[in-house]
C-alpha cells in the first residue's frame, strides 16, 4: 500500500489505522513523507497489535520523535510479523534507533529475511 506524500496527518489517522488493523493481506505499507507524528504512531502501534500480515513499514520523513519510536518498540512485543521499519528523516535519538534496529535484526535472522 503506497500512501507516501499524501499529506496524511492527525485527521486521517483513525480511518487508516482501523483499515490496517483489520487487513490480513497487506505486506508492505509506505506512509513516508506525510505529517504523521507521535500520536499517529501511537494509533498505528495499536493497529499493528491486531495485524498479522504487515512485514514492512516505511515511516520515513514524517514528524516522529523518540517517543513515537518507543511506541513502535512496544508494538513489536505483540506483533511478530514486522521485520522492517524505515524511520529515516525523523527526529529519533540514536539509542532508541539502535534498540529498534536490534529488535528487528533478531526477527530477520529468525525469519530468514
Amino acid at each position: 500500500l503506497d500512501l507516501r506524500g499524501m499529506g496524511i496527518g492527525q485527521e486521517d489517522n483513525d480511518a487508516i489505522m482501523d483499515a490496517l488493523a483489520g487487513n490480513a493481506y497487506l505486506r508492505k505499507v509506505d506512509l513516508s513523507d506525510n505529517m504523521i507524528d507521535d500520536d499517529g504512531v501511537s494509533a498505528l502501534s495499536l493497529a499493528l497489535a491486531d495485524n498479522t500480515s504487515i512485514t514492512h513499514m516505511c515511516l520515513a520523513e514524517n514528524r516522529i520523535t523518540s517517543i513515537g519510536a518507543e511506541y513502535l518498540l512496544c508494538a513489536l512485543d505483540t506483533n511478530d510479523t514486522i521485520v522492517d521499519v524505515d524511520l529515516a528523516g525523523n527526529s529519533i535519538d540514536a539509542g532508541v534507533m539502535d534498540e529498534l534496529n536490534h529488535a528487528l535484526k533478531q526477527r530477520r535472522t529468525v525469519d530468514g529475511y
Side-chain angles (χ1 to χ4, degrees):
L1 178 63
D2 187 352
L3 296 173
R4 86 189 117 165
M6 300 294 288
I8 296 169
Q10 191 64 40
E11 63 279 353
D12 307 303
N13 279 345
D14 291 342
I16 291 172
M17 300 319 156
D18 285 347
L20 291 179
N23 191 295
Y25 302 101
L26 290 175
R27 299 281 183 247
K28 296 181 181 184
V29 178
D30 187 345
L31 292 167
S32 62
D33 195 24
N34 280 291
M35 297 178 288
I36 298 170
D37 60 10
D38 293 335
D39 290 337
V41 175
S42 176
L44 174 62
S45 296
L46 292 173
L48 291 176
D50 295 330
N51 184 282
T52 58
S53 65
I54 296 173
T55 58
H56 296 74
M57 288 289 311
C58 184
L59 295 165
E61 304 297 332
N62 276 287
R63 298 175 180 176
I64 303 167
T65 70
S66 296
I67 294 168
E70 291 280 356
Y71 291 143
L72 288 172
L73 271 168
C74 290
L76 294 179
D77 289 340
T78 55
N79 178 307
D80 58 359
T81 58
I82 295 176
V83 295
D84 186 57
V85 177
D86 182 355
L87 290 168
N90 287 291
S91 299
I92 301 170
D93 294 335
V96 176
M97 280 306 301
D98 288 346
E99 197 175 342
L100 184 62
N101 287 332
H102 178 73
L104 292 169
K105 183 178 179 183
Q106 288 182 313
R107 289 168 177 241
R108 288 190 295 266
T109 303
V110 170
D111 293 339
Y113 282 93

